[in-house]
């Protein structure tokens, strides 16, 4: 990406940040519609920039722009919607749109893993907690206004702009399983008694993960195991009888005990 | 015309045909559900709405009224759902209230696309897969779509703004999250046995060689998957999300007319997809008899008649599993919620992990496709589970834990 | 309030490990339901085609107006049934009888079958056994007006049901004092005797000196 276009990218990010700030929920003087219009403009500009710079290989695919736009706008609604349940639903929309983008990149495994883990498990747990905390209809006023929206937006958009500016330099992203295969060929692992055509996406991901990154996978698994053990230890119910000793025996002969039938 | 001779064209036509078959099966499985409910309770079930009501009425009087065993009931039901007043209560969260049944139905109806319905077929020398889509991750696709199924219930329950609905939704969420774990682990056993996540390849590996279905390699995994299917589709004995005695209608208390019908259709469509999935994963899909090669049912038979026969066999298996769903529904009473959770977390998950360990050991030793290794392994899992259960203490609920201990009187002959 | 010694704490029986799988129990249950599914007779009565056997003589279904042996309406328009009716569903318009043996006859006789509670009080009240309840229970109509049965309709009901349930006492026509008292009069007399003979403890309305205090019901009757 040439210098001028990078600055255009930064400008678009700034506009997006302003739009998000306007759309943040407030108790009074909200500008949600203005924010939505400006944000939509920023997203459209961003997508147009993408189309300009990365014409190939997906530049001509209309679905890419549709789902990318949906993902960005829905992500904006996740943070700006005053009702947490709607935020969770919009988050699910983001996850699904990103999954579609991944499918278009022929990364089916990642797409489905994203859907199963995020939309199917984590977000449902969020929804579960939100439902327990809050009935529809009467909402809590705590969710109706954003806290420190300015600082949060500045911080997050600076981080995002930095990453985007850096990533946009990397023109050589692998686009297809064949190229993933090519990067995998660098490893000193003998690939493929199966021909390249049949080596699908899942196989490639599996080979990469369990050959090149096997230690990382094991470490991640260990971390999750520790987290699970910790969660069980924290949530284990302690019966207060341990502290006070067993309950006192009933005075005298109270009740009868019958043997099991 | 040219399009019809590509896999895409064939898939489109197949998708329409299968969708039609599934919707028809949904309608008539509701009919058979009511029939079976009647038969189990020594009643007749619906037998009044004749299929061609006009023909039945036009028959001469001397033949009497013939009702065609009530086969017109689904049509009458559907008509009723369309014509009823569609009520949106004033207190609901309207957008989500409207979206929820759509989500339910869409998710239930897109699951079937990766099921291989009948091997391959050759039409005028062109070979097509009898499968709507053959993605690289067919099995995971079904899991992902299935895990989205809970959204309809959650959103519908929450948007109804009704305590009963929210309870139903909360129960459904906890239940589906818990039962997806043993389900995934049981499916992992199949993946390890076949070395594939494409459903088509899983099918192919079951009809290769000795025609050994996965059912015979890992019967315990099959039973676990079957049980979790009941839980995933919210069927008795796991239908706590909509149990009438406690929650009125559960998550669909506030729904009426066509929106309720969409939940209803979604439940049955989900069941049919799940049955097909079970048949393909464990019961050899379109293969009629294990251990035997039958002429019409070899993978290399690609005639149209062979395709139809294979589809008929698979749909027969689906029908059998649907019958099991109904038979169990009218036999087994509903669990209590703590029992439900105990079954998942203390029963199915450890057992499924045990079977997975057997499958992994088999893969490591190169014995994953040998019956004399996997079958004793499964039996060992069952025996170890029994041993652990025999040593386990009786389950104690919170209320029981707070009672004073029983005083054991020796004269009554109770050993402490 | 439950006394302590009434509390029985029952210990649940310990279930063996194999039983805790519940698979055998489920299999047993499935066997039972399978048996019912295919091999047990169906209990349902297929209603319009089959009907349950019933006692046609004492069922309280739709009303009829009886005819006397000459085919005339047996009713003498005494208004006893209309008075007795707790649901006020009988409406009679009386007129002078064209016949010699009785003074009045019903010019109009309407029964609202939707208001009626089918208690049978009219049947009990009728002095000439002209109104009776039949065994017909499946009366339907397309409107409320259709369910108000007039004299002709009630006589039609008699014509269609007299073969199965003949008129109770076909000899009675018109006002004929038979002289002997009815069984309810006899019952009432016996009841009166019994209350006068009983001891003061079981009869609270009796005073100490043996005189019978007037009970509230008796006051109304008197």
């Amino acid at each position: 990406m040439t210098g001028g276009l990078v600055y255009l990218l930064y400008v678009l990010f700034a506009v997006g940040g302003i739009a998000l700030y306007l759309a943040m929920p407030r108790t009074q003087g909200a500008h949600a519609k203005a924010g939505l219009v400006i944000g939509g403009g920023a997203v459209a500009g961003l997508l147009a920039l993408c189309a300009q710079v990365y014409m190939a290989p997906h530049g001509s695919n209309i679905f890419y722009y549709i789902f990318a736009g949906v993902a960005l706008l829905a992500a904006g609604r996740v943070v700006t919607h005053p009702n947490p349940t709607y935020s969770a639903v919009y988050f699910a929309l983001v996850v699904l749109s990103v999954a579609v983008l991944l499918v278009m990149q022929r990364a089916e495994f990642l797409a489905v893993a994203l859907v199963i883990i995020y939309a199917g498990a984590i977000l449902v747990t969020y929804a579960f907690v939100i439902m327990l905390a809050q009935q529809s209809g009467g909402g809590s006023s705590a969710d109706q206004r954003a806290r420190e929206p300015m600082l949060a937006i500045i911080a997050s958009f600076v981080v995002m702009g930095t990453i985007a500016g850096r990533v946009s330099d990397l023109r050589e992203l692998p686009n297809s399983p064949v190229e993933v295969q090519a990067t995998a060929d660098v490893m000193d692992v003998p690939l493929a008694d199966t021909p390249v055509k049949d080596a699908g996406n899942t196989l490639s991901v599996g080979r990469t993960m369990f050959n090149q990154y096997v230690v990382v996978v094991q470490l991640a698994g260990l971390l999750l195991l520790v987290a699970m053990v910790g969660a069980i230890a924290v949530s284990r119910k302690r019966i207060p009888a341990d502290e006070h000793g067993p309950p006192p025996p009933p005075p005298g002969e109270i009740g009868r005990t019958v043997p099991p039938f | 015309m040219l399009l019809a001779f590509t896999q895409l064209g064939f898939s489109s036509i197949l998708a329409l045909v299968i969708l039609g078959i599934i919707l028809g099966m949904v309608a008539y499985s509701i009919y058979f559900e009511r029939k079976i409910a009647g038969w189990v309770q020594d009643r007749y079930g619906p037998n009044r709405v004749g299929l061609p009501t006009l023909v039945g009425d036009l028959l001469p009087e001397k033949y009497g009224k013939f009702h065609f065993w009530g086969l017109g009931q689904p049509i009458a039901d559907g008509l009723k759902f369309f014509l009823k007043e569609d009520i949106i209560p004033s207190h609901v969260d309207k957008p989500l209230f409207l979206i929820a049944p759509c989500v339910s139905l869409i998710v239930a109806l897109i699951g079937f696309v990766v099921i291989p319905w009948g091997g391959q077929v050759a039409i005028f020398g062109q070979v097509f897969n009898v499968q709507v889509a053959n993605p690289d991750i067919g099995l995971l696709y079904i899991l992902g779509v299935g895990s989205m199924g809970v959204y309809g219930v959650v959103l519908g329950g929450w948007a109804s703004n009704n305590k009963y609905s929210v309870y139903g939704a909360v129960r459904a969420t906890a239940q589906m999250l818990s039962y997806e774990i043993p389900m995934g682990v049981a499916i992992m056993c199949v993946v390890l046995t076949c070395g594939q996540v494409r459903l088509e390849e899983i099918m192919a590996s079951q009809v290769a060689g000795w025609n050994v279905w996965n059912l015979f390699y890992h019967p315990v995994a099959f039973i676990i998957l079957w049980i979790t299917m009941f839980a995933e589709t919210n069927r008795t004995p796991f239908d706590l999300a909509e149990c009438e005695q406690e929650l009125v209608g559960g998550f669909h208390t506030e729904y009426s007319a066509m929106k309720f019908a969409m939940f209803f259709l979604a439940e049955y469509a989900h069941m049919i997809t799940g049955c097909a999935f079970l048949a393909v994963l464990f019961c050899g899909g379109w293969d009629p008899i294990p251990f035997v090669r039958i002429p019409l049912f070899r993978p290399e038979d690609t005639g149209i008649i062979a395709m139809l026969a294979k589809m008929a066999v698979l749909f027969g298996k689906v029908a059998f599993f649907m019958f099991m769903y109904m038979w169990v529904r009218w036999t087994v009473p509903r669990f209590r919620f703590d029992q439900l959770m105990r079954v998942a977390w203390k029963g199915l998950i450890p057992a499924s992990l045990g079977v997975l360990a057997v499958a992994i050991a088999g893969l490591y030793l190169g014995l994953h496709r040998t019956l004399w290794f996997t079958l004793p392994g499964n039996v060992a899992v069952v025996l170890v589970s029994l041993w652990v259960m025999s040593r386990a203490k009786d389950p104690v609920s919170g209320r029981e834990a707070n009672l004073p201990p029983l005083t054991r009187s020796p004269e009554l002959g109770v050993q402490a | 309030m439950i006394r302590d010694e009434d509390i029985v704490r029952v210990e649940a029986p310990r279930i063996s490990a194999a039983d805790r799988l519940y698979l055998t129990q489920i299999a047993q249950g499935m066997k039972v339901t399978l048996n019912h599914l295919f091999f047990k007779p169906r209990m349902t009565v297929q209603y319009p085609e089959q009907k349950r056997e019933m006692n046609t003589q004492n069922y309280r279904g739709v009303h009829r107006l009886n005819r006397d042996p000459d085919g005339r309406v047996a009713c003498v328009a005494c208004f006893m049934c209309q008075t007795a009716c707790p649901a006020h569903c009988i409406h009679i318009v009386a007129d002078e009888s064209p016949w010699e043996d009785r003074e009045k006859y019903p010019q109009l006789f309407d029964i609202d079958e939707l208001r009626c509670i089918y208690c049978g009080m009219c049947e009990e009240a009728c002095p000439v056994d002209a109104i009776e309840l039949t065994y017909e229970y499946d009366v339907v109509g397309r409107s409320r007006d259709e369910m108000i049965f007039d004299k002709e309709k009630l006589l039609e009901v008699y014509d269609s049901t007299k073969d199965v349930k003949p008129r109770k006492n076909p000899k009675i026509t018109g006002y004929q004092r038979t002289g002997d008292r009815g069984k309810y009069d006899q019952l009432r007399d016996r009841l009166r005797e019994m209350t006068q003979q009983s001891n003061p403890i079981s009869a609270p309305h009796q005073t100490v000196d043996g005189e019978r205090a007037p009970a509230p019901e008796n006051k109304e009757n008197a």
Side-chain angles (χ1 to χ4, degrees):
Chain A
M1 193 179 275
T2 51
L5 286 178
V6 170
Y7 290 118
L8 186 57
L9 186 73
Y10 293 154
V11 168
L12 281 171
F13 269 81
V15 174
I18 292 167
L20 205 60
Y21 181 74
L22 287 177
M24 277 292 178
R26 291 181 181 78
T27 42
Q28 49 196 3
H31 308 285
K33 281 198 180 134
L36 193 67
V37 171
I38 299 175
V43 167
L46 201 61
L47 292 178
L49 189 66
C50 284
Q52 182 66 32
V53 178
Y54 300 104
M55 191 58 93
H58 300 292
S60 57
N61 196 335
I62 185 70
F63 290 111
Y64 172 80
Y65 296 104
I66 292 175
F67 283 103
V70 167
L72 285 172
L73 288 177
R77 282 310 266 163
V78 172
V79 278
T80 57
H81 206 286
N83 190 333
T85 307
Y86 277 84
S87 295
V89 174
Y90 276 115
F91 196 4
L93 192 58
V94 174
V95 168
L96 288 180
S97 308
V98 172
V100 172
L101 294 183
L102 285 173
V103 168
M104 286 165 60
Q105 301 279 348
R106 300 193 58 193
E108 295 101 344
F109 181 81
L110 270 183
V112 174
L114 191 71
V115 170
I116 291 179
I117 294 169
Y118 266 92
I122 295 179
L123 269 172
V124 173
T125 318
Y126 281 179
F128 184 81
V129 174
I130 293 167
M131 278 193 310
L132 282 180
Q134 184 189 9
Q135 279 262 288
S136 72
S140 100
S141 63
D143 295 319
Q144 315 265 317
R145 59 192 162 79
R147 256 153 288 178
E148 301 293 351
M150 178 76 91
L151 288 178
I153 285 171
I154 290 175
S156 55
F157 272 80
V158 165
V159 170
M160 232 160 64
T162 315
I163 293 173
R166 179 78 190 94
V167 167
S168 63
D169 287 342
L170 302 172
R171 303 294 297 270
E172 303 296 326
L173 291 175
N175 285 317
S176 67
V178 183
E179 289 182 43
V180 174
Q181 201 73 31
T183 53
D185 275 333
V186 179
M187 306 178 304
D188 53 348
V189 180
L191 263 187
D193 16 321
T194 48
V196 173
K197 182 171 70 70
D198 287 349
N201 183 256
T202 316
L203 196 59
S204 308
V205 170
R207 280 205 171 118
T208 316
M209 272 173 61
F210 286 96
N211 288 321
Q212 199 172 355
Y213 300 111
V214 64
V215 179
V216 181
V217 171
Q218 294 295 325
L219 278 178
L222 187 70
L223 191 66
L224 287 176
L225 185 68
V226 169
M228 192 168 76
V229 171
I232 293 171
V234 166
S235 67
R236 199 171 61 111
K237 186 181 177 185
R238 287 180 185 77
I239 297 169
D242 293 342
E243 299 166 18
H244 308 295
E253 188 68 28
I254 290 182
R256 292 176 288 141
T257 303
V258 290
F261 48 87
Chain B
M1 284 312 293
L2 268 178
L3 184 69
F5 268 87
T6 60
Q7 177 71 44
L8 181 65
F10 184 80
S11 292
S12 313
I13 296 166
L14 187 74
L16 287 179
V17 170
I18 300 278
L19 196 62
I21 294 177
I22 285 184
L23 286 179
M25 274 185 90
V26 165
Y28 277 91
S29 43
I30 295 170
Y31 165 79
F32 275 107
E33 174 101 51
R34 295 173 59 183
K35 270 286 186 196
I36 287 172
W39 291 338
V40 167
Q41 297 162 5
D42 293 342
R43 297 183 284 110
Y44 287 94
N47 65 352
R48 290 283 149 178
V49 189
L51 184 54
T53 309
L54 287 174
V55 176
D57 288 346
L58 288 177
L59 280 177
E61 194 65 35
K62 64 176 174 179
Y63 297 115
K65 273 264 201 183
F66 182 55
H67 296 296
F68 292 93
W69 312 282
L71 281 173
Q73 190 70 43
I75 300 167
D77 282 347
L79 210 62
K80 186 197 76 175
F81 278 130
F82 268 113
L83 296 180
K84 274 180 87 165
E85 184 187 359
D86 198 5
I87 299 168
I88 300 176
S90 57
H91 54 77
V92 299
D93 190 310
K94 205 169 164 191
L96 291 186
F97 187 76
L98 295 181
I99 288 173
C102 308
V103 170
S104 250
L105 189 61
I106 290 170
V107 165
L109 284 183
I110 59 175
F112 75 91
V113 293
V114 292
I115 304 275
W117 294 102
Q120 290 185 318
V121 63
I123 302 172
F124 298 119
Q126 280 282 84
V127 179
F128 301 117
N129 280 331
V130 187
Q131 190 180 14
V132 177
N134 188 15
D136 202 23
I137 32 89
L139 212 159
L140 295 173
Y141 170 84
I142 286 197
L143 280 184
V145 167
S147 70
M148 295 297 291
V150 70
Y151 272 95
V153 176
V154 169
L155 296 182
W158 185 81
S160 292
N161 192 12
N162 173 328
K163 293 268 193 303
Y164 292 122
S165 304
V166 171
Y167 279 134
V170 166
R171 286 183 178 187
T173 318
Q175 174 183 331
M176 288 200 187
L177 284 178
S178 305
Y179 277 82
E180 257 166 29
I181 300 167
M183 186 185 184
V185 176
I187 289 172
M188 282 301 295
C189 298
V190 176
V191 175
L192 290 180
T193 306
C194 299
Q196 279 290 344
V197 284
R198 255 176 218 261
L199 283 174
E200 195 199 25
E201 304 279 340
I202 289 173
M203 256 315 301
S205 79
Q206 289 186 78
V207 292
W210 276 92
N211 268 25
V212 190
W213 299 353
N214 288 330
L215 168 65
F216 300 105
Y217 289 124
H218 290 295
V220 177
F222 169 70
I223 290 173
I224 289 171
L225 182 64
W226 202 0
I227 293 174
T228 56
M229 280 288 176
F230 278 89
E232 288 287 307
T233 48
N234 269 328
R235 292 282 298 186
T236 323
F238 301 104
D239 62 340
L240 283 105
E242 44 192 312
C243 59
E244 301 86 3
Q245 290 87 348
E246 300 159 31
L247 297 184
V248 192
F251 60 92
H252 54 60
T253 303
E254 302 282 359
Y255 283 91
S256 58
M258 207 52 213
K259 291 202 286 295
F260 169 73
M262 281 162 86
F263 275 125
F264 210 56
L265 287 180
E267 181 187 331
Y268 280 85
H270 203 148
M271 277 163 66
I272 289 174
T273 313
C275 290
F277 188 47
L278 200 60
V280 168
L281 275 191
F282 275 100
C283 302
W286 40 260
D287 190 37
I289 303 170
F291 306 116
V292 184
R293 284 289 173 86
I294 300 174
L296 205 54
F297 295 101
R298 290 166 303 188
E300 60 267 26
D301 289 318
T302 52
I304 290 180
I305 295 174
M307 175 189 81
L308 292 178
K310 288 170 178 175
M311 285 174 78
V313 167
L314 183 50
F315 274 112
K317 286 178 183 174
V318 170
F320 170 75
F321 283 122
M322 291 295 284
F323 170 71
M324 292 301 293
Y325 263 121
M326 293 164 192
W327 184 12
V328 167
R329 171 168 180 186
W330 299 106
T331 304
V332 184
R334 186 182 292 131
F335 282 113
R336 216 170 48 204
F337 201 75
D338 62 319
Q339 293 170 332
L340 177 95
M341 284 293 149
R342 202 182 299 141
V343 166
W345 289 94
K346 293 189 172 175
L348 294 181
I349 292 178
S352 61
L353 286 175
V355 187
L356 185 67
V358 171
I360 291 173
L363 195 65
Y364 187 72
L365 300 171
L367 300 172
H368 56 295
R369 293 185 67 79
T370 44
L371 284 177
W372 59 261
F373 180 80
T374 53
L375 268 184
N378 276 271
V379 173
V381 168
V382 173
L383 291 180
V384 169
S385 315
L386 283 179
W387 182 70
V388 171
M389 280 163 100
S390 71
R391 290 168 53 86
K393 286 183 197 156
D394 282 325
V396 177
S397 69
R399 189 178 59 84
E400 284 167 337
N402 289 328
L403 286 172
L406 282 171
T407 49
R408 315 252 176 193
S409 347
E411 64 269 20
L412 284 173
V414 186
Q415 54 283 63
Chain C
M1 186 66 192
I2 302 171
R3 291 175 300 177
D4 281 343
E5 55 265 35
D6 288 340
I7 297 174
V8 177
R9 281 188 56 197
V10 184
E11 198 181 3
R14 196 165 161 77
I15 307 172
S16 72
D19 281 349
R20 269 191 221 181
L21 280 179
Y22 290 111
L23 288 180
T24 51
Q25 282 86 342
I26 288 177
Q28 282 171 3
M30 303 277 276
K31 212 180 91 190
V32 171
T33 44
L34 191 71
N35 201 8
H36 280 267
L37 198 53
F38 291 119
F39 307 116
K40 287 286 168 85
R42 307 281 169 242
M43 295 300 181
T44 318
V45 176
Q46 293 292 294
Y47 166 62
E49 292 91 14
Q50 306 170 2
K51 287 185 179 172
R52 276 180 62 188
E53 278 185 24
M54 57 185 286
N55 190 337
T56 53
Q57 299 306 309
N58 63 2
Y59 189 82
R60 296 204 302 261
V62 74
H63 312 74
R64 70 182 187 189
L65 266 185
N66 292 334
R67 295 180 191 273
D68 62 6
D70 300 337
R72 303 171 299 182
V73 58
C75 176
V76 295
C78 69
F79 290 85
M80 297 278 267
C81 51
Q82 182 173 344
T83 313
C85 181
H88 304 301
C89 68
I90 305 179
H91 305 282
I92 304 173
V93 174
D95 200 358
E96 197 171 327
S97 163
W99 309 302
E100 291 297 317
D101 57 346
R102 63 193 79 164
E103 290 179 8
K104 293 195 290 180
Y105 89 113
Q107 191 192 13
L108 296 176
F109 195 106
D110 290 347
I111 299 181
D112 190 343
E113 300 288 349
L114 292 178
R115 274 195 86 144
C116 176
I117 59 170
Y118 300 93
C119 62
M121 301 273 269
C122 47
E123 190 176 2
E124 299 292 343
C126 185
V128 294
D129 283 345
I131 186 166
E132 276 176 10
L133 300 185
T134 65
Y135 52 87
E136 292 285 347
Y137 51 85
D138 48 353
V139 241
V140 291
R142 287 200 175 85
S143 66
R144 289 177 185 276
D145 287 343
E146 210 173 300
M147 293 301 284
I148 297 174
F149 282 17
D150 58 3
K151 192 170 78 176
E152 281 69 35
K153 177 80 185 165
L154 291 166
L155 286 169
E156 271 174 35
V157 176
Y158 171 73
D159 292 337
S160 64
T161 57
K162 66 183 174 190
D163 297 334
V164 180
K165 183 182 180 182
R167 192 178 165 195
K168 252 187 235 159
N169 194 352
K171 291 202 183 85
I172 299 178
T173 50
Y175 282 115
Q176 289 179 355
R177 281 200 68 85
T178 51
D180 53 328
R181 315 187 64 184
K183 60 179 176 180
Y184 289 103
D185 290 334
Q186 291 168 15
L187 266 177
R188 200 183 311 127
D189 289 348
R190 275 193 63 195
L191 213 67
R192 199 166 283 156
E193 280 167 30
M194 282 165 65
T195 41
Q196 277 165 5
Q197 281 166 8
S198 56
N199 57 27
I201 298 169
S202 64
H205 293 303
Q206 265 181 342
T207 51
V208 185
D209 56 1
E211 271 189 23
R212 197 162 164 273
E217 304 91 33
N218 288 350
K219 201 183 272 176
E220 277 181 15
N221 289 344

